[in-house]
Amino acid sequence: MSQQWDPARYLQYADQRGRPFVELLARVPVDRPDEVVDLGCGPGNLTALAAGRWPDARTTGIDSSAEMVERARADFPALDFVVADLREWAGEGEPVDVLLSNATLQWVPGHLDLLRELLSRVRPGGCLAFQVPGNFTEPSHTLRQELALRPPYAEHLEGSAEPDAHDAATYLRALQRLGCAVDAWESTYLHVLTGPDPVFDWVLGTSARPMLQRLPDDLVERFADEFRTALRAAYPDDGNGVVLPFRRVFVVAQKPASEEESA
């Protein structure tokens, strides 16, 4: 079952979700690219930031969600947006100078093996730069997974899409073996969220959505209520907002400018 994403829900925390992308962009050592592609562009707000950094480049956003691409085209008509699966995009086509991906590869099973194909779409001297979440052991994930194993939910949620990613060192070594100069690091953001159930609202736009879409209508609100209750206990509000720690993994891999450099 393919997921249907809600651009408005995702954009609820646009500033907090966008901070890692700003940090990633700042570390890409390409000054004047001709072609920039944002894989998993979502509603296009971050693609627009990339276009702002490289205003002379042709910037294209690619996403498998028709809903996200429709919103991106409406909000940023000067940019190009395409509905496509990144695995198919990686397989063929002309190379680009900068290939970006923000909080997307974690949804692609076995994406470590996809890095070679992604690099094949990058020109010599260009960069593959991506960011993935690294918070899968946090209560925001583990509580949802534990709840999904219980009846009456388990029979409906077996095989649900689950995000997963590696640590920075794993990506660094994998891309070094492919001949790249690699800058890899990790950062943990402390997001201060407000509202009755802010952590639930956060995950509802991302990791919780595939599960909720698989449940029958009569179980959706029941699951959501149990999940909200568990999250309130795990992330208490002391009167100054709820603190959501969020670890992110960043990678910037630059291909050698010539075959001699990669030898």
Side-chain angles (χ1 to χ4, degrees):
M1 177 181 179
S2 61
Q3 282 81 52
Q4 291 183 319
W5 298 100
D6 183 345
R9 174 70 67 177
Y10 185 82
L11 287 167
Q12 181 177 357
Y13 294 106
D15 288 345
Q16 293 95 323
R17 295 192 200 278
R19 282 181 59 191
F21 188 73
V22 173
E23 185 174 346
L24 183 69
L25 279 183
R27 301 279 278 270
V28 177
V30 179
D31 293 329
R32 294 180 178 85
D34 293 321
E35 296 274 348
V36 175
V37 167
D38 180 14
L39 289 179
C41 65
N45 56 312
L46 301 184
T47 314
L49 292 180
R53 175 174 174 186
W54 296 295
D56 295 327
R58 178 186 176 187
T59 301
T60 303
I62 295 174
D63 203 285
S64 61
S65 167
E67 296 87 358
M68 287 292 198
V69 168
E70 181 181 6
R71 176 65 182 264
R73 288 171 175 166
D75 288 353
F76 307 100
L79 302 179
D80 294 323
F81 295 97
V82 178
V83 178
D85 187 298
L86 69 85
R87 288 163 292 197
E88 297 174 2
W89 182 90
E92 58 181 26
E94 294 297 316
V96 301
D97 300 292
V98 177
L99 182 54
L100 304 166
S101 184
N102 185 71
T104 296
L105 290 179
Q106 74 275 8
W107 291 106
V108 181
H111 65 262
L112 201 64
D113 295 329
L114 186 65
L115 296 180
R116 182 182 296 275
E117 288 185 67
L118 292 175
L119 280 173
S120 74
R121 296 298 308 270
V122 178
R123 292 187 180 115
C127 282
L128 166 64
F130 62 89
Q131 177 271 129
V132 290
N135 67 329
F136 302 117
T137 60
E138 291 292 322
S140 55
H141 285 271
T142 59
L143 290 172
R144 171 178 51 77
Q145 292 164 340
E146 291 167 6
L147 185 58
L149 294 175
R150 302 175 192 165
Y153 312 120
E155 64 179 295
H156 303 286
L157 297 180
E158 183 178 359
S160 293
E162 277 291 341
D164 194 21
H166 304 278
D167 61 17
T170 298
Y171 291 118
L172 182 144
R173 290 305 190 196
L175 287 159
Q176 282 180 330
R177 288 192 290 270
L178 294 173
C180 294
V182 185
D183 180 14
W185 71 100
E186 300 180 5
S187 297
T188 298
Y189 297 83
L190 299 180
H191 298 294
V192 180
L193 310 178
T194 58
D197 292 292
V199 179
F200 177 79
D201 289 341
W202 178 289
V203 300
L204 191 59
T206 52
S207 58
R209 190 167 182 84
M211 277 190 177
L212 289 171
Q213 287 184 344
R214 290 177 67 102
L215 288 171
D217 292 344
D218 61 324
L219 289 180
V220 170
E221 195 54 40
R222 178 175 168 184
F223 184 94
D225 283 342
E226 290 190 50
F227 191 25
R228 285 190 193 97
T229 300
L231 288 172
R232 285 189 207 118
Y235 298 95
D237 187 344
D238 65 357
N240 296 302
V242 172
V243 176
L244 175 65
F246 206 120
R247 174 174 161 256
R248 302 275 185 176
V249 178
F250 300 81
V251 181
V252 178
Q254 186 168 28
K255 291 182 71 171
S258 65
E259 291 185 8
E260 288 77 12
E261 289 183 48
S262 63

